[in-house]
Amino acid sequence: MASPYHLSSIILVLVLVTASAWDEEEKKTFIVQVQHDAKPSIFPTHRHWYESSLGEATSIIHTYQTVFHGFSATLSGAEVANLESLSHVIALIPEQVRQLHTTRSPHFLGLNTADRAGLLKETDFGSDLVIGLIDTGISPESQSFNDRDLGLPPPDWKGQCVAGKGFPPTSCNRKLIGARYFCGGYEATNGKMNETLEYRSPRDSDGHGTHTASIAAGRYVFPASTMGYAMGMAAGMAPKARLAVYKVCWKGGCYDSDILAAFDAAVADGVDVVSLSVGGVVVPYHLDIIAVGAFGASEAGVFVSASAGNGGPGGLTVTNVAPWMTSVGAGSIDRDFPADVILGNGKVIGGVSVYDGPGLSPGRLYQLVYAGSDGYSSSLCLEDSLDPKSVRGKIVVCDRGVISRPAKGQVVKNAGGVAMILTNGPFDGEGLVADCHVLPATSVGSAGGDQIRRYISLASQLRSPPTATIVFKGTRLGVKPAPKVASFSARGPNPVSPEILKPDVIAPGLNILAAWPTTIPPSSLPSDHRTTDFNILSGTSMACPHVSGLAALLKAAHPDWSPAAIRSALITTAYTLDNGGGTLLDESTGNVSSVFDYGAGHVHPEKAINPGLVYDISSYDYVDFLCNSNYTAQNIRVITRKAADCSGAKRAGHAANLNYPSLSAVFQQYGKQGTRISTHFIRTVTNVGDPNSLYRVTVAPPADTEVTVEPDTLAFRRLGQKLNFLVRVQTRQVKLSPGSSTVKTGSIVWSDAKHTVTAPLVVTMHQPL
């Protein structure tokens, strides 16, 4: 298929200002990496040593000693220049500000408490594992975090319950066994926080952290619903897993120096899984503090799950793409909340909503108005943009964008409108997100929005007032087809390493019910005085903790598995067919989706527990990958905290030979059309299934591509045995316009009588500009 992105986009081009280029007087926050073992003995602690290199007016924000060695501080240009001149200073990394990637899903995933066997029962619901949530904190009184029937925390747990405003020491229990907060980086940039709006403690003043924590490891709670919607049993993926929360996100965002401090503490505390539903601008790995922190965590045996981002449906939008972390996109589940628009001409346009207040009068049609006739601001229903004379008593049509969807409803309500229809723009397509609105409101797709605006225009020309109503239908179960790739879910290809397929997988992330602080209204609007114990949110933020919880269950079932082995099990057992038997669809277009949308596919927990074979990766393999990706020894040292030796990397061949459970060949076309081009992949699989097993390969080659696998059978004689195979890929150059590309997909499948181990195969061809 022809790809919508261009070659100039696929190669990450970064204009980086060197640290020493800052103005002498201007101050900026940096994370400073230091040679840890170079501390002179005259300094009692590393902190004292670090402070000796700084001016008297400069204070250290955080020190790091587990996943990173060094400190963070707000520095002037002169201080930066001084630090760069010191032999023991390895790197200065400018701070980034990250943003949040803002129940029926356990049932949809096949995790049923009534099963006598299966992943939940085999792992005692994850009771001996600790999931660390790096997020906005937690609301500890939620019933999702009760500790009934839980034993003592794991004996090697070293975490703390740090008390603070609204969070007494008794907030922790045998479920929530650790809680910390990190705000130094946030306050270094923004000044002291406003404690009338935020809690200087692990308490959640946003709701996001509470929601994600309960998705990962919430206890069984019944009944659970959001104002009557999605009524049923709420439960996380690993209901007995322990939780440790690390609050790093505040009103002004999530700052790198605080995120790195959270990684450092979480690994030192002894978490088994880190869940991070936060992301930002994609940069090379040595400048990406999340990638740096995740490498240290992975090296310590900690699985890191991160949200892929909400920049979809456009290509090249995926974030958190380092190969040592698992990047999770979002899919729908088989439940929705229909709220249909009925126009005066009888046409019905499907929409979704979570609204529990007084509805519109049954059988009555209300006058319909599109606010966009008065200008750009009014089309988006921005604050104070609507003329009360034009909208009073009417249903108002608003376009998505700029402010939150529920906030638009408040603007309509304040202006006297009786209801709102929220329409997607062309970029959002047909992807629909249900919101807790403050007035009767529904969201419709781009095509539906166009129909409504055409109807309004035509009715106005005929001098017949356009009319409509909204019919709320509650909760609908058994929706087909499902899952679909959520419209907002960020897409590949990987902008840093095209040889590594990202996202890795998708998981439920659309309209997910989970715990919510009762102190925060469901719409998150100050004017909303409703309360709820559970809320329905959407985002890759919600997909990520599904995988975090599943990783905890897999770690409980297989304590000896590495983070890479766990990721491999999730990737090679993922599925790409929906509940109607068709290929997963793209929610934004209704068309068939691709590997750049869903990675290997949708996670399948019950198969992941017994994948048969895994593609394992060591820290040395990642170093070879970085060497072959043209990172310098200095760059690699920033990531790995060790001097890098790239002399052996040539044996790995090229970056795509990292032992990843997907294969991505990227060809630059420099010859004539029809010229043969080829590459190869070397992979190693480890037997984790039956001791004596024979696997045979099935190749589904990408179109117009020859693929051979040698050998075509793998005979294992024991558990833990590793065997290698070689994949050769050969194709011909095709006619492409300059700067364009084409992508073709297939798969390499190893199977015995019991297991099917699938690795996606992607061939991308670029025509240089």
Side-chain angles (χ1 to χ4, degrees):
M1 64 178 178
S3 177
Y5 55 85
H6 293 275
L7 174 61
S8 55
S9 302
I10 195 98
I11 300 174
L12 187 69
V13 179
L14 291 163
V15 180
L16 297 172
V17 180
T18 62
S20 56
W22 302 122
D23 182 89
E24 285 289 316
E25 300 302 320
E26 185 182 8
K27 286 208 164 193
K28 293 184 179 292
T29 300
F30 288 84
I31 293 102
V32 183
Q33 188 176 40
V34 175
Q35 186 178 335
H36 197 61
D37 57 4
K39 180 181 76 67
S41 59
I42 60 170
F43 295 104
T45 67
H46 279 83
R47 188 182 189 95
H48 286 91
W49 178 39
Y50 302 152
E51 288 174 338
S52 71
S53 304
L54 303 175
E56 291 184 6
T58 300
S59 59
I60 286 175
I61 298 170
H62 298 294
T63 60
Y64 312 103
Q65 58 187 10
T66 304
V67 301
F68 188 85
H69 298 150
F71 64 94
S72 52
T74 302
L75 306 172
S76 67
E79 288 173 314
V80 166
N82 176 57
L83 287 170
E84 286 183 322
S85 70
L86 301 177
S87 61
H88 60 269
V89 172
I90 298 169
L92 283 85
I93 306 172
E95 177 157 72
Q96 278 195 64
V97 185
R98 316 284 180 146
Q99 302 298 328
L100 298 166
H101 286 153
T102 230
T103 263
R104 197 170 143 76
S105 51
H107 173 81
F108 184 69
L109 287 167
L111 293 174
N112 296 321
T113 179
D115 291 346
R116 294 178 180 269
L119 188 53
L120 284 176
K121 286 293 171 62
E122 289 186 32
T123 62
D124 190 24
F125 301 80
S127 64
D128 290 331
L129 278 292
V130 183
I131 302 174
L133 273 293
I134 299 178
D135 213 295
T136 67
I138 197 166
S139 181
E141 61 278 356
S142 168
Q143 279 304 300
S144 291
F145 311 124
N146 77 72
D147 64 354
R148 283 191 302 271
D149 303 321
L150 288 180
L152 292 172
D156 56 352
W157 175 246
K158 304 179 187 68
Q160 298 178 19
C161 189
V162 178
K165 182 183 176 184
F167 201 91
T170 54
S171 299
C172 292
N173 56 19
R174 293 185 179 188
K175 174 67 174 178
L176 177 61
I177 62 173
R180 300 176 185 263
Y181 65 97
F182 303 90
C183 57
Y186 168 56
E187 292 189 314
T189 299
N190 297 280
K192 292 292 182 184
M193 73 175 68
N194 182 346
E195 294 193 41
T196 64
L197 299 176
E198 300 190 83
Y199 295 98
R200 187 183 294 278
S201 76
R203 177 166 286 280
D204 187 3
S205 58
D206 178 274
H208 187 276
T210 300
H211 202 269
T212 56
S214 70
I215 292 172
R219 304 300 302 272
Y220 290 101
V221 180
F222 179 85
S225 73
T226 297
M227 297 171 293
Y229 285 81
M231 179 68 74
M233 174 89 74
M237 297 296 98
K240 282 189 175 181
R242 315 308 173 100
L243 284 168
V245 299
Y246 302 86
K247 181 178 176 180
V248 301
C249 294
W250 308 85
K251 296 290 185 187
C254 321
Y255 285 73
D256 271 358
S257 54
D258 296 332
I259 292 171
L260 186 59
F263 265 113
D264 210 55
V267 174
D269 287 347
V271 304
D272 299 286
V273 173
V274 164
S275 186
L276 182 74
S277 291
V278 171
V281 177
V282 175
V283 295
Y285 303 131
H286 67 289
L287 298 175
D288 182 349
I289 282 299
I290 290 178
V292 171
F295 185 92
S298 176
E299 193 172 44
V302 176
F303 180 92
V304 180
S305 173
S307 49
N310 294 345
L316 283 163
T317 51
V318 64
T319 66
N320 295 325
V321 295
W324 46 85
M325 51 204 301
T326 300
S327 310
V328 187
S332 65
I333 62 174
D334 60 345
R335 177 186 67 200
D336 66 8
F337 311 105
D340 296 342
V341 176
I342 301 176
L343 299 177
N345 61 8
K347 286 189 177 178
V348 178
I349 296 171
V352 297
S353 180
V354 176
Y355 174 70
D356 72 324
L360 300 175
S361 298
R364 178 183 169 186
L365 293 176
Y366 294 77
Q367 196 164 340
L368 185 64
V369 60
Y370 174 47
S373 57
D374 293 330
Y376 175 74
S377 294
S378 56
S379 72
L380 294 166
C381 296
L382 303 184
E383 193 165 353
D384 298 324
S385 67
L386 301 181
D387 180 2
K389 294 179 183 177
S390 301
V391 304
R392 186 174 290 115
K394 299 175 183 177
I395 297 177
V396 182
V397 179
C398 304
D399 296 335
R400 272 180 67 172
V402 182
I403 63 174
S404 77
R405 297 177 298 271
K408 295 175 186 285
Q410 187 64 56
V411 171
V412 171
K413 187 175 182 179
N414 292 344
V418 297
M420 176 181 69
I421 300 170
L422 192 59
T423 68
N424 284 355
F427 180 80
D428 300 302
E430 303 310 305
L432 298 180
V433 175
D435 294 297
C436 293
H437 290 288
V438 295
L439 84 171
T442 188
S443 294
V444 301
S446 176
D450 289 343
Q451 282 189 57
I452 292 169
R453 283 185 288 269
R454 281 196 300 269
Y455 164 67
I456 292 172
S457 176
L458 181 60
S460 299
Q461 292 172 21
L462 298 175
R463 298 190 178 181
S464 171
T467 58
T469 190
I470 303 172
V471 178
F472 299 92
K473 297 184 174 180
T475 304
R476 180 172 61 176
L477 303 177
V479 173
K480 289 187 177 184
K484 296 180 182 178
V485 180
S487 177
F488 56 77
S489 187
R491 273 40 172 199
N494 185 329
V496 181
S497 303
E499 307 88 354
I500 304 298
L501 180 62
K502 294 285 179 172
D504 289 300
V505 290
I506 62 171
L510 181 64
N511 300 329
I512 302 301
L513 179 79
W516 190 253
T518 55
T519 55
I520 300 171
S523 67
S524 295
L525 298 176
S527 57
D528 185 359
H529 301 297
R530 296 172 297 178
T531 63
T532 183
D533 292 317
F534 293 86
N535 203 359
I536 293 168
L537 298 185
S538 297
T540 55
S541 277
M542 285 64 250
C544 166
H546 279 89
V547 169
S548 307
L550 295 177
L553 295 178
L554 293 175
K555 183 73 172 177
H558 304 283
D560 58 330
W561 280 11
S562 69
I566 294 171
R567 178 174 58 249
S568 174
L570 290 167
I571 287 175
T572 62
T573 60
Y575 62 87
T576 58
L577 298 180
D578 59 36
N579 58 4
T583 302
L584 298 181
L585 299 180
D586 182 341
E587 187 201 22
S588 68
T589 62
N591 298 327
V592 171
S593 55
S594 77
V595 291
F596 288 153
D597 303 330
Y598 54 68
H602 194 285
V603 291
H604 195 315
E606 292 294 348
K607 285 191 175 180
I609 193 176
N610 185 15
L613 305 175
V614 294
Y615 294 75
D616 210 351
I617 305 175
S618 71
S619 295
Y620 299 106
D621 297 326
Y622 290 127
V623 171
D624 286 348
F625 162 78
L626 292 167
C627 292
N628 288 322
S629 298
N630 298 319
Y631 282 77
T632 66
Q634 180 77 354
N635 295 157
I636 297 170
R637 188 178 184 183
V638 173
I639 300 165
T640 66
R641 311 181 309 288
K642 300 179 183 71
D645 179 6
C646 285
S647 61
K650 292 179 181 178
R651 289 195 302 271
H654 51 82
N657 271 341
L658 179 68
N659 198 42
Y660 216 72
S662 57
L663 300 89
S664 177
V666 182
F667 294 110
Q668 305 289 346
Q669 295 196 149
Y670 292 107
K672 295 181 180 179
Q673 182 181 344
T675 303
R676 284 185 177 274
I677 46 179
S678 64
T679 190
H680 72 278
F681 302 92
I682 301 169
R683 289 293 189 267
T684 303
V685 285
T686 304
N687 182 24
V688 296
D690 299 323
N692 288 288
S693 51
L694 181 67
Y695 284 81
R696 290 183 169 84
V697 73
T698 302
V699 177
D704 305 315
T705 303
E706 296 176 26
V707 180
T708 59
V709 179
E710 301 172 7
D712 59 4
T713 60
L714 297 174
F716 293 94
R717 296 291 175 259
R718 66 182 185 276
L719 287 176
Q721 183 179 357
K722 297 177 183 291
L723 292 176
N724 302 328
F725 63 93
L726 174 71
V727 179
R728 298 184 189 277
V729 176
Q730 184 173 266
T731 188
R732 292 182 182 274
Q733 299 199 72
V734 297
K735 185 176 181 179
L736 291 171
S737 58
S740 65
S741 61
T742 183
V743 179
K744 299 169 184 177
T745 62
S747 63
I748 305 292
V749 182
W750 291 99
S751 56
D752 62 359
K754 188 185 298 184
H755 308 93
T756 301
V757 188
T758 303
L761 172 60
V762 185
V763 174
T764 303
M765 304 177 74
H766 296 303
Q767 187 68 40
L769 288 168

